[in-house]
């Protein structure tokens, strides 16, 4: 559709901007609490909330505190919480067996939330990096990140998360063929209602730095993730990956990071019209918080503007560390 406009002064575009009342009438997009997924970090212990230095305002929480956070999120109207474990270094191994341990942190947190806060959807992360001695999302053999053996492990991880009660499985690993393998395994095990939100277009990005601190993967990562995560220069490839994952049974798809990749969000939504999510990642969050703490920008306004940009780009929802802050702000009106 081509936007049309009458010549001045028949059209004065400022008429529609003159008051909040008319601005509200003509507003094209809206940001709602129901658009938010809140990523949280889980650690061992009881009654623990430990700040993540590179993500001001973000905590690693023990399971009991994650349950409290989930209850708070539910009361605010946030539909989903996404769990990321900070795994004890002693549990990181080359075979990543902790990833499918029914008693691992992620699974314990999922069970506790489902028991005590049934109203909120629990999303979990499928990838080996929190459990891998070398920080990679897949198994490393002779310096190479191997695909098919990793997919077998991801399937085991998926089933253990579904068994624990996860509503949405979020594969963030970028191995080939994992969505189909996971979907078939879920169906065969009777988990036909468990959804898959595929991190389908995930770029090899510098903006994940603070997250790797938060899950304790920074010091460990040997090399980079460029053989499995996407090249930031590519756009058509993102569409092929999204189509491939949809054909393998993904229910929803994600673009990640968020703000630097809004063009990808728009192309995905226009091309496929499927539930499209973006992840406003740790580095994006950290930049806004750091500038706000320095008094260089208004943090609250920047938060709201950044999230509205995702809606404008066609996203149905956003994973954001700001979720509770936005929800409180939107409730206050
Ligand atoms: C790893 C994973 C990463 C994030 C989510 N899952 C980091 C990476 O790929 O190295 C990043 C999230 C963020 O930066 O907020 N499986």
């Amino acid at each position: 559709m081509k936007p049309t406009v009458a010549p001045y002064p028949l059209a004065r575009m400022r008429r529609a901007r003159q008051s909040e009342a008319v601005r509200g009438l003509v507003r094209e997009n809206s940001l709602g609490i129901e658009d938010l997924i809140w990523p949280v970090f889980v650690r061992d212990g009881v009654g623990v909330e430990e700040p993540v230095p590179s993500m001001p305002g973000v905590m690693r929480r023990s399971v009991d505190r994650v349950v409290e956070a989930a209850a708070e999120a539910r009361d605010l109207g946030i539909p989903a919480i996404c769990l990321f474990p900070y795994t004890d270094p002693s549990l990181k191994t080359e075979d990543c067996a902790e990833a499918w341990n029914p008693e691992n942190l992620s699974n314990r947190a999922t069970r506790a939330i489902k028991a005590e806060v049934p109203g909120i959807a629990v999303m979990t992360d499928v990838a080996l990096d929190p459990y891998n001695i070398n920080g990679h999302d897949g198994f490393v053999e002779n310096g190479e990140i191997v695909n098919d053996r990793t997919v077998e492990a991801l399937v085991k991880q998926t089933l253990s998360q579904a068994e624990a009660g996860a509503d949405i499985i979020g594969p963030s690993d970028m191995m080939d063929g994992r969505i189909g393998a996971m979907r078939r395994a879920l169906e065969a095990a009777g988990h036909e209602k468990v959804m898959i939100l595929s991190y389908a277009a995930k770029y090899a990005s510098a903006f994940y730095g603070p997250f790797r601190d938060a899950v304790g993967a920074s010091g460990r990562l040997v090399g980079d993730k460029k053989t499995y995560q996407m090249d930031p220069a590519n756009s058509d490839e993102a569409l092929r990956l999204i189509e491939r994952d949809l054909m393998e049974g993904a229910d929803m798809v994600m673009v990640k990071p968020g703000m630097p990749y809004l063009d990808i969000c728009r192309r995905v939504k226009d091309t496929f019209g499927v539930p499209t999510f973006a992840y406003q990642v740790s580095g994006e969050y950290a930049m806004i918080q750091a500038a706000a703490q320095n008094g260089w920008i208004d943090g609250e306004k920047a938060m709201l503007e950044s999230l509205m940009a995702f809606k404008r780009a066609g996203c149905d929802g956003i994973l954001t560390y700001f979720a509770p802050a936005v929800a409180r702000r939107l409730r206050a009106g």
Side-chain angles (χ1 to χ4, degrees):
M1 186 190 66
K2 188 171 166 292
T4 55
V5 60
Y8 168 86
L10 301 179
R12 287 179 185 269
M13 298 297 279
R14 288 183 57 193
R15 280 187 211 119
R17 297 184 209 129
Q18 63 188 291
S19 66
E20 188 45 37
V22 295
R23 285 194 295 274
L25 282 176
V26 302
R27 189 159 294 133
E28 297 173 36
N29 294 288
S30 64
L31 173 68
I33 299 174
E34 70 279 7
D35 301 324
L36 306 171
I37 298 178
W38 184 24
V40 296
F41 298 109
V42 193
R43 52 153 292 157
D44 244 323
V46 177
V48 188
E49 286 193 6
E50 171 190 36
V52 178
S54 51
M55 300 179 72
V58 169
M59 309 282 178
R60 297 186 192 113
R61 296 173 164 86
S62 52
V63 170
D64 57 315
R65 293 297 176 95
V66 167
V67 171
E68 281 173 27
E72 187 198 340
R74 182 223 25 222
D75 294 346
L76 284 166
I78 295 171
I81 194 165
C82 178
L83 305 175
F84 290 102
Y86 170 82
T87 304
D88 189 284
S90 68
L91 296 172
K92 297 188 190 216
T93 57
E94 223 160 287
D95 70 2
C96 306
E98 183 65 7
W100 51 92
N101 175 359
E103 293 304 320
N104 72 20
L105 261 181
S106 172
N107 289 334
R108 276 187 278 140
T110 300
R111 276 196 299 272
I113 296 171
K114 292 317 287 182
E116 294 180 49
V117 195
I120 198 161
V122 173
M123 174 169 166
T124 49
D125 184 60
V126 171
L128 300 182
D129 56 323
Y131 312 99
N132 208 344
I133 193 103
N134 49 54
H136 276 291
D137 293 22
F139 291 125
V140 181
E141 286 175 18
N142 305 319
E144 250 191 60
I145 291 89
V146 295
N147 196 88
D148 299 4
R149 189 159 78 85
T150 298
V151 170
E152 285 170 29
L154 299 173
V155 167
K156 286 195 264 181
Q157 187 179 15
T158 300
L159 290 175
S160 91
Q161 292 175 355
E163 217 51 63
D167 301 287
I168 304 170
I169 304 287
S172 68
D173 55 281
M174 289 294 280
M175 296 301 125
D176 285 321
R178 91 266 209 221
I179 302 296
M182 289 166 54
R183 186 72 265 166
R184 284 190 293 276
L186 286 168
E187 292 293 317
H191 295 297
E192 69 275 357
K193 280 164 71 182
V194 173
M195 302 179 79
I196 298 177
L197 169 45
S198 176
Y199 290 59
K202 176 172 177 179
Y203 288 83
S205 173
F207 292 99
Y208 306 147
F211 173 97
R212 291 179 192 165
D213 294 342
V215 299
S218 303
R220 307 194 157 258
L221 184 60
V222 182
D224 56 45
K225 300 193 176 184
K226 289 180 187 172
T227 67
Y228 45 109
Q229 299 180 350
M230 279 183 71
D231 183 340
N234 294 354
S235 171
D236 291 342
E237 184 188 358
L239 299 189
R240 296 174 66 207
L241 286 165
I242 300 264
E243 180 166 29
R244 191 267 315 260
D245 284 5
L246 290 169
M247 295 305 288
E248 288 185 21
D251 300 284
M252 306 178 276
V253 293
M254 191 201 297
V255 174
K256 175 185 179 188
M259 270 172 81
Y261 297 89
L262 291 178
D263 57 321
I264 308 298
C265 298
R266 172 47 67 195
R267 283 192 80 186
V268 168
K269 191 63 179 178
D270 286 349
T271 307
F272 301 107
V274 295
T276 302
F277 291 76
Y279 198 142
Q280 182 180 49
V281 299
S282 56
E284 302 175 63
Y285 173 87
M287 287 194 298
I288 294 175
Q289 292 294 73
Q293 284 188 344
N294 277 291
W296 296 335
I297 58 172
D298 180 324
E300 191 166 271
K301 289 193 178 129
M303 164 183 87
L304 290 168
E305 184 179 331
S306 68
L307 294 169
M308 185 61 85
F310 291 106
K311 295 307 298 285
R312 196 192 61 240
C315 293
D316 297 287
I318 309 123
L319 286 91
T320 176
Y321 301 98
F322 285 120
V326 196
R328 276 191 287 272
R329 178 61 183 63
L330 292 175
R331 281 181 163 252

